[in-house]
Coordinates of all heavy atoms in Angstrom, one line a residue:
M131 N 21.2 -0.8 20.4 CA 22.1 0.0 19.5 C 21.3 0.4 18.3 O 20.6 -0.4 17.6 CB 23.2 -0.9 19.1 CG 24.1 -0.2 18.1 SD 25.8 -0.7 18.2 CE 26.1 -1.8 16.9
P132 N 21.3 1.7 17.9 CA 20.6 2.2 16.8 C 21.0 1.5 15.5 O 22.1 1.2 15.3 CB 21.0 3.7 16.7 CG 21.4 4.0 18.1 CD 22.0 2.8 18.6
L133 N 20.0 1.1 14.7 CA 20.1 0.5 13.4 C 20.7 -1.0 13.5 O 21.0 -1.5 12.5 CB 21.0 1.3 12.4 CG 20.4 2.6 12.0 CD1 21.3 3.4 11.1 CD2 19.0 2.5 11.4
S134 N 20.7 -1.6 14.7 CA 21.1 -2.9 14.8 C 20.2 -3.9 14.1 O 20.6 -5.0 13.8 CB 21.3 -3.3 16.3 OG 20.0 -3.2 17.0
W135 N 19.0 -3.5 13.9 CA 18.0 -4.3 13.2 C 18.2 -4.4 11.7 O 17.7 -5.2 11.0 CB 16.6 -3.8 13.4 CG 16.4 -2.3 13.1 CD1 16.6 -1.3 14.0 CD2 16.1 -1.8 11.9 NE1 16.4 -0.1 13.3 CE2 16.1 -0.4 12.0 CE3 15.9 -2.3 10.6 CZ2 15.9 0.5 11.0 CZ3 15.6 -1.4 9.6 CH2 15.6 0.0 9.8
C136 N 19.0 -3.4 11.2 CA 19.3 -3.3 9.7 C 20.6 -3.9 9.4 O 21.7 -3.4 9.8 CB 19.2 -1.9 9.3 SG 19.5 -1.6 7.5
N137 N 20.7 -5.0 8.6 CA 22.0 -5.5 8.2 C 22.4 -5.0 6.8 O 23.5 -5.3 6.4 CB 22.0 -7.0 8.3 CG 21.1 -7.7 7.3 OD1 20.1 -7.2 6.9 ND2 21.5 -8.9 7.0
H138 N 21.5 -4.3 6.0 CA 21.9 -3.8 4.7 C 20.8 -2.8 4.3 O 19.6 -3.0 4.5 CB 22.1 -4.9 3.7 CG 22.3 -4.3 2.3 ND1 23.5 -3.8 1.9 CD2 21.5 -4.2 1.2 CE1 23.4 -3.4 0.7 NE2 22.2 -3.6 0.2
A139 N 21.3 -1.7 3.6 CA 20.4 -0.8 2.9 C 21.1 -0.3 1.7 O 22.3 0.0 1.8 CB 19.9 0.3 3.9
G140 N 20.4 -0.1 0.6 CA 21.0 0.4 -0.6 C 20.0 0.9 -1.6 O 18.8 0.6 -1.5
V141 N 20.6 1.6 -2.6 CA 19.7 2.1 -3.7 C 20.4 1.7 -5.0 O 21.6 1.8 -5.1 CB 19.7 3.6 -3.6 CG1 18.9 4.2 -4.8 CG2 19.0 4.1 -2.3
T142 N 19.6 1.2 -5.9 CA 20.1 0.7 -7.2 C 19.4 1.5 -8.3 O 18.1 1.5 -8.3 CB 19.9 -0.8 -7.4 OG1 20.5 -1.5 -6.4 CG2 20.5 -1.2 -8.8
A143 N 20.1 2.2 -9.2 CA 19.5 2.9 -10.3 C 19.8 2.0 -11.5 O 21.0 1.6 -11.7 CB 20.1 4.2 -10.5
D144 N 18.8 1.6 -12.3 CA 19.0 0.8 -13.5 C 18.5 1.5 -14.7 O 17.3 1.6 -15.0 CB 18.2 -0.5 -13.3 CG 18.4 -1.6 -14.3 OD1 18.8 -1.2 -15.5 OD2 18.1 -2.7 -14.1
E145 N 19.5 2.0 -15.5 CA 19.1 2.8 -16.7 C 18.4 1.9 -17.7 O 17.5 2.4 -18.4 CB 20.4 3.4 -17.3 CG 20.9 4.5 -16.4 CD 22.1 5.2 -17.1 OE1 22.3 5.1 -18.3 OE2 22.8 6.0 -16.4
S146 N 18.8 0.6 -17.8 CA 18.2 -0.3 -18.8 C 16.7 -0.5 -18.5 O 15.9 -0.7 -19.4 CB 18.9 -1.6 -18.9 OG 18.8 -2.4 -17.8
E147 N 16.3 -0.4 -17.3 CA 14.9 -0.6 -16.9 C 14.2 0.7 -16.6 O 13.1 0.7 -16.2 CB 14.8 -1.5 -15.6 CG 15.2 -3.0 -15.9 CD 14.2 -3.7 -16.8 OE1 13.0 -3.4 -16.6 OE2 14.6 -4.5 -17.6
D148 N 15.0 1.8 -16.6 CA 14.5 3.1 -16.3 C 13.8 3.1 -14.9 O 12.7 3.5 -14.7 CB 13.6 3.7 -17.3 CG 13.4 5.2 -17.3 OD1 14.1 5.8 -16.5 OD2 12.6 5.7 -18.1
S149 N 14.6 2.5 -13.9 CA 14.0 2.4 -12.6 C 15.0 2.7 -11.5 O 16.2 2.7 -11.7 CB 13.5 0.9 -12.4 OG 14.7 0.0 -12.4
V150 N 14.5 2.9 -10.3 CA 15.3 3.1 -9.1 C 14.7 2.1 -8.0 O 13.4 2.1 -7.8 CB 15.3 4.5 -8.6 CG1 16.0 4.7 -7.2 CG2 15.9 5.5 -9.6
T151 N 15.5 1.4 -7.4 CA 15.1 0.4 -6.3 C 15.8 0.7 -5.0 O 17.0 0.9 -5.0 CB 15.3 -1.0 -6.8 OG1 14.6 -1.3 -8.0 CG2 14.8 -2.0 -5.7
V152 N 15.0 0.7 -3.9 CA 15.6 0.8 -2.6 C 15.5 -0.6 -2.0 O 14.4 -1.2 -2.0 CB 14.8 1.8 -1.7 CG1 15.3 1.8 -0.3 CG2 14.8 3.2 -2.4
H153 N 16.6 -1.0 -1.4 CA 16.7 -2.4 -0.7 C 16.9 -2.1 0.8 O 17.8 -1.4 1.1 CB 17.8 -3.2 -1.3 CG 17.9 -3.2 -2.7 ND1 17.3 -4.2 -3.5 CD2 18.5 -2.4 -3.6 CE1 17.6 -4.0 -4.8 NE2 18.3 -2.9 -4.9
I154 N 16.1 -2.8 1.6 CA 16.3 -2.7 3.0 C 16.2 -4.1 3.6 O 15.1 -4.8 3.4 CB 15.3 -1.8 3.7 CG1 15.4 -0.4 3.2 CG2 15.5 -1.8 5.3 CD1 14.3 0.5 3.7
S155 N 17.2 -4.6 4.2 CA 17.2 -5.9 4.8 C 17.2 -5.8 6.4 O 18.0 -5.1 6.9 CB 18.5 -6.8 4.4 OG 18.4 -8.0 5.1
V156 N 16.2 -6.5 7.0 CA 16.1 -6.4 8.4 C 16.5 -7.7 9.1 O 16.0 -8.1 10.1 CB 14.6 -6.1 8.8 CG1 14.2 -4.7 8.3 CG2 13.6 -7.1 8.3
G157 N 17.6 -8.3 8.6 CA 18.2 -9.4 9.2 C 17.6 -10.8 8.9 O 18.0 -11.8 9.5
D158 N 16.8 -10.9 7.9 CA 16.3 -12.1 7.4 C 17.1 -12.6 6.2 O 17.4 -11.9 5.3 CB 14.8 -11.9 7.0 CG 14.1 -13.2 6.7 OD1 14.5 -13.9 5.8 OD2 13.1 -13.5 7.4
P159 N 17.5 -13.9 6.3 CA 18.4 -14.4 5.2 C 17.8 -14.6 3.9 O 18.4 -14.8 2.9 CB 18.8 -15.8 5.8 CG 17.8 -16.2 6.7 CD 17.3 -14.9 7.3
R160 N 16.5 -14.3 3.8 CA 15.8 -14.5 2.5 C 16.0 -13.3 1.5 O 15.5 -13.3 0.4 CB 14.3 -14.7 2.7 CG 14.0 -16.1 3.3 CD 12.5 -16.2 3.6 NE 12.2 -15.4 4.7 CZ 11.0 -15.3 5.2 NH1 10.0 -16.0 4.7 NH2 10.7 -14.5 6.3
G161 N 16.7 -12.3 2.0 CA 16.9 -11.1 1.1 C 16.6 -9.8 1.7 O 17.0 -9.5 2.8
A162 N 15.8 -9.0 1.0 CA 15.5 -7.6 1.5 C 14.1 -7.2 1.0 O 13.6 -7.8 0.0 CB 16.5 -6.7 1.0
F163 N 13.5 -6.2 1.7 CA 12.4 -5.6 1.1 C 12.8 -4.7 0.0 O 13.9 -4.1 0.1 CB 11.7 -4.7 2.2 CG 11.0 -5.5 3.3 CD1 11.5 -5.5 4.6 CD2 9.8 -6.1 3.0 CE1 10.8 -6.2 5.5 CE2 9.1 -6.8 4.0 CZ 9.6 -6.8 5.3
T164 N 12.1 -4.6 -1.1 CA 12.5 -3.7 -2.2 C 11.3 -2.9 -2.5 O 10.1 -3.3 -2.5 CB 12.9 -4.5 -3.4 OG1 11.9 -5.3 -3.9 CG2 14.2 -5.3 -3.1
F165 N 11.6 -1.6 -2.8 CA 10.6 -0.6 -3.3 C 11.1 -0.1 -4.6 O 12.3 0.4 -4.6 CB 10.5 0.5 -2.3 CG 10.2 0.1 -0.9 CD1 11.3 -0.4 -0.1 CD2 8.9 0.1 -0.4 CE1 11.0 -0.8 1.2 CE2 8.7 -0.4 0.9 CZ 9.8 -0.8 1.7
T166 N 10.4 -0.2 -5.7 CA 10.9 0.2 -7.0 C 9.9 1.2 -7.6 O 8.7 1.0 -7.6 CB 11.0 -1.1 -7.9 OG1 11.9 -2.0 -7.3 CG2 11.6 -0.7 -9.3
V167 N 10.5 2.2 -8.2 CA 9.8 3.2 -9.1 C 10.4 3.0 -10.4 O 11.6 3.1 -10.6 CB 9.9 4.6 -8.6 CG1 9.2 5.6 -9.5 CG2 9.3 4.7 -7.2
R168 N 9.5 2.8 -11.4 CA 10.0 2.7 -12.8 C 9.1 3.4 -13.7 O 7.9 3.6 -13.4 CB 10.1 1.2 -13.2 CG 8.9 0.5 -13.4 CD 9.1 -1.0 -13.9 NE 7.8 -1.6 -14.1 CZ 7.1 -1.6 -15.3 NH1 7.6 -0.9 -16.3 NH2 6.0 -2.3 -15.4
R169 N 9.7 3.8 -14.8 CA 8.9 4.5 -15.9 C 8.5 3.5 -17.0 O 9.3 2.8 -17.5 CB 9.8 5.6 -16.5 CG 9.0 6.5 -17.4 CD 9.9 7.8 -17.7 NE 9.2 8.7 -18.6 CZ 9.2 8.5 -20.0 NH1 9.9 7.5 -20.5 NH2 8.6 9.4 -20.7
V170 N 7.3 3.6 -17.4 CA 6.8 2.8 -18.5 C 7.3 3.4 -19.8 O 7.1 4.6 -19.9 CB 5.2 2.6 -18.5 CG1 4.8 1.8 -19.6 CG2 4.8 2.0 -17.1
P171 N 7.9 2.7 -20.7 CA 8.4 3.3 -21.9 C 7.4 4.0 -22.7 O 6.2 3.6 -22.7 CB 9.0 2.1 -22.7 CG 9.3 1.0 -21.6 CD 8.2 1.2 -20.6
D172 N 7.8 5.1 -23.3 CA 6.9 5.9 -24.1 C 6.2 5.2 -25.2 O 5.1 5.4 -25.6 CB 7.6 7.1 -24.7 CG 7.9 8.2 -23.7 OD1 7.2 8.3 -22.7 OD2 8.9 8.9 -23.8
D173 N 7.0 4.2 -25.8 CA 6.5 3.5 -27.0 C 5.6 2.3 -26.6 O 5.2 1.5 -27.5 CB 7.6 3.1 -27.9 CG 8.6 2.2 -27.2 OD1 8.5 1.9 -26.0 OD2 9.6 1.7 -27.9
T174 N 5.3 2.1 -25.3 CA 4.4 1.0 -24.9 C 3.0 1.3 -25.4 O 2.5 2.4 -25.2 CB 4.4 0.9 -23.4 OG1 5.8 0.6 -23.0 CG2 3.5 -0.2 -22.9
D175 N 2.3 0.3 -25.9 CA 0.9 0.4 -26.3 C 0.0 0.3 -25.1 O -0.6 -0.7 -24.9 CB 0.6 -0.6 -27.4 CG -0.8 -0.4 -28.0 OD1 -1.3 0.7 -27.9 OD2 -1.4 -1.4 -28.5
S176 N -0.1 1.4 -24.3 CA -0.8 1.4 -23.1 C -1.1 2.8 -22.7 O -0.3 3.7 -23.0 CB -0.1 0.7 -22.0 OG -0.7 0.9 -20.7
V177 N -2.2 3.0 -21.9 CA -2.5 4.3 -21.3 C -1.4 4.7 -20.3 O -1.3 5.8 -19.9 CB -3.9 4.4 -20.7 CG1 -4.9 4.2 -21.8 CG2 -4.0 3.4 -19.6
L178 N -0.6 3.7 -19.9 CA 0.4 4.0 -18.9 C 1.8 4.4 -19.5 O 2.7 4.7 -18.8 CB 0.7 2.7 -18.1 CG -0.5 2.2 -17.3 CD1 -0.2 0.9 -16.6 CD2 -1.0 3.3 -16.3
A179 N 1.9 4.5 -20.8 CA 3.1 4.9 -21.5 C 3.6 6.2 -20.9 O 2.8 7.2 -20.8 CB 2.9 5.0 -23.0
G180 N 4.8 6.3 -20.5 CA 5.5 7.5 -20.0 C 5.1 7.7 -18.6 O 5.6 8.7 -18.0
R181 N 4.3 6.9 -17.9 CA 3.9 7.1 -16.5 C 4.9 6.4 -15.6 O 5.6 5.5 -16.0 CB 2.5 6.6 -16.3 CG 1.4 7.1 -17.2 CD 1.1 8.6 -17.0 NE 0.7 9.0 -15.7 CZ -0.5 9.0 -15.3 NH1 -1.5 8.8 -16.1 NH2 -0.8 9.4 -14.0
L182 N 4.9 6.8 -14.3 CA 5.7 6.2 -13.3 C 4.9 5.2 -12.5 O 3.7 5.5 -12.2 CB 6.3 7.2 -12.3 CG 7.3 8.2 -12.9 CD1 7.6 9.3 -11.9 CD2 8.5 7.5 -13.5
L183 N 5.5 4.0 -12.2 CA 4.8 3.0 -11.4 C 5.6 2.8 -10.2 O 6.9 2.8 -10.2 CB 4.7 1.7 -12.2 CG 3.9 1.7 -13.5 CD1 3.9 0.3 -14.1 CD2 2.5 2.1 -13.3
M184 N 5.0 2.5 -9.1 CA 5.7 2.2 -7.8 C 5.3 0.7 -7.4 O 4.1 0.4 -7.3 CB 5.4 3.1 -6.7 CG 6.1 2.8 -5.4 SD 6.0 4.1 -4.2 CE 4.3 4.3 -3.9
H185 N 6.3 -0.1 -7.2 CA 6.1 -1.5 -6.7 C 6.5 -1.5 -5.3 O 7.7 -1.2 -5.0 CB 6.9 -2.5 -7.6 CG 6.6 -2.3 -9.0 ND1 5.5 -2.9 -9.7 CD2 7.3 -1.7 -10.0 CE1 5.6 -2.6 -11.0 NE2 6.6 -1.9 -11.2
V186 N 5.7 -2.0 -4.4 CA 6.0 -2.1 -3.0 C 5.7 -3.5 -2.4 O 5.0 -4.2 -3.0 CB 5.2 -1.0 -2.2 CG1 5.5 0.4 -2.6 CG2 3.7 -1.3 -2.3
P187 N 6.4 -3.8 -1.3 CA 6.1 -5.1 -0.6 C 4.6 -5.1 -0.2 O 4.0 -4.1 0.1 CB 7.0 -5.1 0.6 CG 8.0 -4.0 0.4 CD 7.4 -3.0 -0.5
Y188 N 4.1 -6.4 -0.1 CA 2.7 -6.5 0.4 C 2.6 -7.9 1.1 O 3.4 -8.8 0.8 CB 1.7 -6.4 -0.8 CG 1.9 -7.3 -1.9 CD1 1.3 -8.6 -1.9 CD2 2.8 -7.1 -2.9 CE1 1.5 -9.5 -3.0 CE2 3.0 -7.9 -4.0 CZ 2.3 -9.1 -4.0 OH 2.5 -10.0 -5.0
P189 N 1.6 -8.0 2.0 CA 1.4 -9.3 2.6 C 1.2 -10.4 1.6 O 0.5 -10.2 0.6 CB 0.1 -9.1 3.5 CG 0.1 -7.6 3.7 CD 0.6 -7.0 2.4
D190 N 1.7 -11.6 1.9 CA 1.6 -12.8 1.1 C 2.2 -12.7 -0.3 O 1.9 -13.4 -1.2 CB 0.1 -13.2 1.0 CG -0.5 -13.5 2.3 OD1 0.2 -14.0 3.2 OD2 -1.7 -13.1 2.5
A191 N 3.1 -11.7 -0.4 CA 3.9 -11.6 -1.7 C 4.8 -12.8 -1.9 O 5.3 -13.3 -0.9 CB 4.7 -10.3 -1.7
P192 N 4.9 -13.3 -3.1 CA 5.8 -14.4 -3.3 C 7.2 -14.0 -3.0 O 7.6 -12.8 -3.3 CB 5.6 -14.8 -4.7 CG 5.0 -13.7 -5.4 CD 4.2 -12.9 -4.3
C193 N 8.0 -14.8 -2.4 CA 9.4 -14.5 -2.0 C 9.5 -13.3 -1.0 O 10.4 -12.4 -1.1 CB 10.2 -14.2 -3.2 SG 10.3 -15.5 -4.4
G194 N 8.5 -13.2 -0.1 CA 8.5 -12.1 0.8 C 9.7 -12.2 1.8 O 10.3 -13.2 2.0
H195 N 10.2 -11.0 2.2 CA 11.4 -11.0 3.1 C 11.0 -11.3 4.5 O 11.6 -12.2 5.1 CB 11.9 -9.5 3.1 CG 13.2 -9.3 3.9 ND1 14.2 -10.2 3.9 CD2 13.5 -8.4 4.8 CE1 15.2 -9.7 4.7 NE2 14.7 -8.6 5.3
R196 N 10.0 -10.7 5.1 CA 9.5 -11.0 6.4 C 8.0 -10.9 6.3 O 7.5 -10.1 5.5 CB 10.0 -10.0 7.5 CG 11.5 -10.0 7.8 CD 12.0 -11.1 8.7 NE 11.3 -11.2 10.0 CZ 11.7 -10.6 11.1 NH1 12.7 -9.8 11.1 NH2 11.1 -10.8 12.2
P197 N 7.2 -11.6 7.2 CA 5.8 -11.4 7.1 C 5.3 -10.0 7.4 O 6.0 -9.3 8.2 CB 5.3 -12.3 8.3 CG 6.4 -13.2 8.6 CD 7.6 -12.5 8.2
L198 N 4.3 -9.5 6.7 CA 3.8 -8.2 6.9 C 2.3 -8.3 7.4 O 1.5 -9.0 6.8 CB 3.8 -7.4 5.6 CG 5.2 -7.1 5.0 CD1 5.0 -6.5 3.6 CD2 6.0 -6.2 5.9
T199 N 2.0 -7.5 8.4 CA 0.6 -7.4 8.9 C 0.1 -6.0 8.7 O 0.8 -5.1 9.3 CB 0.5 -7.8 10.4 OG1 1.1 -9.1 10.5 CG2 -0.9 -7.8 10.9
P200 N -0.9 -5.7 7.9 CA -1.4 -4.4 7.7 C -1.9 -3.8 9.0 O -2.6 -4.4 9.8 CB -2.6 -4.5 6.8 CG -2.4 -5.9 6.2 CD -1.7 -6.7 7.2
L201 N -1.4 -2.5 9.3 CA -2.0 -1.7 10.4 C -3.0 -0.7 9.9 O -4.0 -0.6 10.5 CB -0.8 -1.0 11.2 CG 0.2 -1.9 11.9 CD1 1.2 -1.1 12.6 CD2 -0.6 -2.8 12.9
H202 N -2.7 0.0 8.8 CA -3.6 0.8 8.1 C -3.0 1.1 6.7 O -1.8 0.6 6.5 CB -3.9 2.1 8.8 CG -2.8 2.9 9.3 ND1 -2.0 3.7 8.5 CD2 -2.2 3.0 10.5 CE1 -1.1 4.3 9.2 NE2 -1.1 3.9 10.4
D203 N -3.7 1.7 5.8 CA -3.2 1.9 4.4 C -1.7 2.4 4.4 O -1.4 3.5 5.0 CB -4.0 2.9 3.6 CG -5.4 2.3 3.3 OD1 -5.6 1.1 3.4 OD2 -6.2 3.1 2.8
G204 N -0.8 1.6 3.8 CA 0.5 2.0 3.6 C 1.4 1.8 4.8 O 2.6 2.1 4.8
T205 N 0.9 1.2 5.9 CA 1.7 0.9 7.1 C 1.6 -0.6 7.5 O 0.4 -1.0 7.6 CB 1.4 1.8 8.3 OG1 1.5 3.2 7.9 CG2 2.2 1.5 9.5
Y206 N 2.7 -1.2 7.7 CA 2.7 -2.7 8.1 C 3.5 -2.9 9.3 O 4.6 -2.3 9.5 CB 3.2 -3.5 6.9 CG 2.4 -3.4 5.6 CD1 2.9 -2.5 4.7 CD2 1.3 -4.1 5.4 CE1 2.2 -2.3 3.5 CE2 0.6 -4.0 4.2 CZ 1.0 -3.1 3.3 OH 0.3 -2.9 2.1
L207 N 3.1 -3.9 10.1 CA 4.0 -4.5 11.1 C 4.9 -5.5 10.5 O 4.4 -6.4 9.7 CB 3.1 -5.1 12.2 CG 3.9 -5.9 13.3 CD1 4.7 -5.0 14.1 CD2 2.9 -6.7 14.2
I208 N 6.2 -5.4 10.7 CA 7.1 -6.4 10.0 C 7.4 -7.5 11.0 O 7.7 -7.2 12.2 CB 8.4 -5.7 9.7 CG1 8.2 -4.6 8.6 CG2 9.4 -6.7 9.1 CD1 9.4 -3.7 8.3
G209 N 7.3 -8.7 10.6 CA 7.5 -9.9 11.4 C 6.2 -10.3 12.1 O 5.1 -9.7 12.0
S210 N 6.3 -11.3 12.9 CA 5.1 -11.8 13.6 C 5.0 -11.3 15.0 O 5.9 -10.8 15.6 CB 5.0 -13.3 13.5 OG 6.2 -13.9 13.9

């Protein structure tokens, strides 16, 4: 059955963090994979002030949803 592997998907926009997060759960009770894009505040004392950052899942991440095995840059096998 199509999408039977997905038990939840959603998008959260957080104005207080100036970020957007995509959540995708593939049936693991530990939570979901999350992908977040956020803007670094303009008043931050950094060369990144005002820039966009993207946070993505990666192998051996703490609190990972399912194991990830790299296939090539930006593509992972989910699960073992």
Side-chain angles (χ1 to χ4, degrees):
M131 174 148 102
L133 296 179
S134 62
W135 53 268
C136 181
N137 67 331
H138 174 76
V141 176
T142 303
D144 184 339
E145 290 185 16
S146 68
E147 291 291 323
D148 202 4
S149 68
V150 175
T151 301
V152 175
H153 311 270
I154 301 172
S155 179
V156 295
D158 189 297
R160 291 177 286 182
F163 288 109
T164 61
F165 308 81
T166 302
V167 174
R168 71 177 180 88
R169 187 170 180 276
V170 178
D172 288 330
D173 59 356
T174 300
D175 185 22
S176 169
V177 296
L178 298 177
R181 306 292 302 267
L182 295 174
L183 301 179
M184 181 169 60
H185 306 278
V186 299
Y188 58 92
D190 301 322
C193 304
H195 181 49
R196 297 278 308 268
L198 296 174
T199 303
L201 293 179
H202 51 80
D203 287 350
T205 301
Y206 300 95
L207 172 66
I208 298 174
S210 48

